Amino acid sequence: MKLTTVEDVRAAAERIRDTAVRTPLLPCDWADTDRPLWLKPENLQPIGAFKIRGAANAIARIPEADRANGVVAYSSGNHAQAVAYVAKRFGLPAVIVVPENTPATKIDATRGHGAEVVVVPITDREIVAERLVAQRGATLVPPFDHLDVIAGQGTIGLEIVEDLADVDVVLVPVSGGGLASGVATAVKGLRPDAAVIGVEPALAGDAAESLAAGHRVEWSAHDRARTIADGLRAAPSDLTFAHLLARLDGIVTVTEDQIRDAVATLATRARLVAEPSGAVTTAAYLHRAADLPRGRTVAVVSGGNLDRDLLASLLVTPDTRTS
C-alpha cells in the first residue's frame, strides 16, 4: 500500500499556502519545567479546525474538467466546514452529508459557507455521500481516507519541525487517522528521533486497541458516539491504519473528565477556545504524563468549534457540575 511521503507534504504546503493559516507554536509558561509545552492552535484556522488543510489540498488536486460538477463530503462537522469553505473559494458547488448528532453550530457554519447540507442517521453518511457522487458526477472529498487529505494535514507536522527543530514529542488526536497519519509522516521524516504519540478518547479507543493488536479492531459507530469529543468518533481506514502502524510511536487514551478539564485549562491558562476533540492532547499532557516520553512537547489543538452552551458547561469546575 502506498503511504504519504514528506515530499507529498511539502507539495501540499505550497498548494494550501493561500488558503490555510500557518498557525504559530504557543509556549505554555504553566507547563512542567522538565516537559516544556507548546500548543499548535489549529482552532485559529478560518473554519476553526485543521481540516481546512486536507480539504484545500484535495480540492486543489481535482482536475479542471471535473470541477464544474462540484464536490461531496461526509463529516461530523469540521471537515464539512472545511470542504464548504474551500469549495466556495474555488467557486465549486458543495454538498455535505452530516450525521444527525452533529452539533448545530457546525451545521449552521457549513451552510453559512454556501454548501447544501444533508442530515442523515449516523450509520448512513458514506452510503448517502456515494449516492450523491453518482447522481451528480461530483468528486468525493473524504474526511481522512485519501492520500491528498493526509498530505494536507501533514503540513501541521512540517510547520512544527520548522518552528521547533529540537522537538522531542508531538501529541496528535486520532479519530479516522488522517491528521495523525500526516503529522507522523512529516515529523518522523524530518526528525526521526522525535516521538509522535496519538491521543483518543477512551470511549472511542478503537485505534488504541487496534494498534495494540496489530490489526484493525472494529467498534460500532454507536459505541464511538458515546464520547463528548464529537470530532473523534470515526474509525481508521485501511489506509490510515497502515500509516499509524508504521509511523506512530504509541497511543494513549483519555477519559471524559480529563477532556473536560483540558478544555477548561486551555480556556483559562492558554486563552484558547478548544472543542473537546481539540483538547485531548492537552488532556494527555496533563493526566497521562507517566505514559508519555519526556522532553520538549507539542500538543496539536485540532479545533475550537463548539456550542456556546457546551463551552459554558465545560468551564464549570468539577465539584459544581451536576452531570
Side-chain angles (χ1 to χ4, degrees):
M1 180 181 295
K2 183 184 185 301
L3 301 186
T4 306
T5 67
V6 173
E7 289 72 27
D8 295 329
V9 177
R10 290 192 188 279
E14 290 300 316
R15 292 189 198 99
I16 72 173
R17 183 186 301 275
D18 296 328
T19 304
V21 171
R22 192 189 195 286
T23 54
L25 287 185
L26 304 179
C28 299
D29 58 8
W30 43 269
D32 294 341
T33 55
D34 65 337
R35 294 191 305 139
L37 176 66
W38 287 260
L39 302 174
K40 181 68 168 167
E42 288 295 296
N43 57 315
L44 301 182
Q45 291 290 349
I47 55 91
F50 76 96
K51 290 285 191 177
I52 191 172
R53 296 174 181 264
N57 190 49
I59 291 175
R61 296 266 287 162
I62 296 174
E64 193 68 37
D66 296 332
R67 293 185 178 185
N69 292 329
V71 294
V72 172
Y74 54 89
S75 167
S76 62
N78 285 333
H79 181 64
Q81 294 178 67
V83 172
Y85 177 88
V86 176
K88 183 177 181 180
R89 284 180 64 94
F90 277 76
L92 309 181
V95 182
I96 314 297
V97 181
V98 302
E100 55 196 1
N101 62 347
T102 300
T105 184
K106 294 183 178 181
I107 293 177
D108 292 343
T110 302
R111 289 190 173 124
H113 293 307
E116 177 186 348
V117 176
V118 178
V119 181
V120 301
I122 189 171
T123 56
D124 292 349
R125 293 184 306 171
E126 297 182 37
I127 296 171
V128 173
E130 293 286 359
R131 184 184 307 149
L132 288 167
V133 166
Q135 291 172 350
R136 305 188 183 199
T139 298
L140 179 67
V141 182
F144 52 84
D145 190 26
H146 196 288
L147 288 172
D148 290 336
V149 172
I150 291 171
Q153 319 304 25
T155 59
I156 293 172
L158 197 68
E159 293 171 11
I160 289 171
V161 178
E162 288 174 351
D163 291 348
L164 188 66
D166 57 354
V167 61
D168 296 307
V169 185
V170 176
L171 304 177
V172 59
V174 176
S175 180
L179 173 60
S181 295
V183 169
T185 294
V187 172
K188 301 300 287 188
L190 298 173
R191 182 166 166 75
D193 291 341
V196 182
I197 307 296
V199 186
E200 66 179 348
L203 291 184
D206 54 328
E209 185 176 344
S210 296
L211 286 176
H215 59 83
R216 289 178 59 201
V217 177
E218 298 288 344
W219 285 31
S220 74
H222 291 290
D223 281 346
R224 298 193 307 270
R226 294 174 299 168
T227 179
I228 192 175
D230 62 274
L232 302 182
R233 293 171 176 166
S237 65
D238 288 339
L239 176 64
T240 57
F241 184 70
H243 283 78
L244 301 182
L245 198 59
R247 294 172 179 169
L248 273 191
D249 292 287
I251 189 166
V252 298
T253 62
V254 289
T255 68
E256 300 297 287
D257 282 344
Q258 289 167 351
I259 295 170
R260 289 173 177 271
D261 178 64
V263 171
T265 298
L266 287 168
T268 58
R269 307 205 64 178
R271 279 75 66 187
L272 290 177
V273 173
E275 61 189 283
S277 303
V280 295
T281 53
T282 303
Y285 177 88
L286 294 172
H287 299 285
R288 297 296 306 273
D291 301 301
L292 298 175
R294 314 297 279 184
R296 293 169 291 274
T297 301
V298 173
V300 177
V301 181
S302 56
N305 295 316
L306 72 170
D307 292 312
R308 182 180 302 178
D309 290 345
L310 175 58
L311 175 60
S313 72
L314 293 173
L315 296 179
V316 176
T317 55
D319 58 340
T320 60
R321 289 183 186 135
T322 58
S323 61

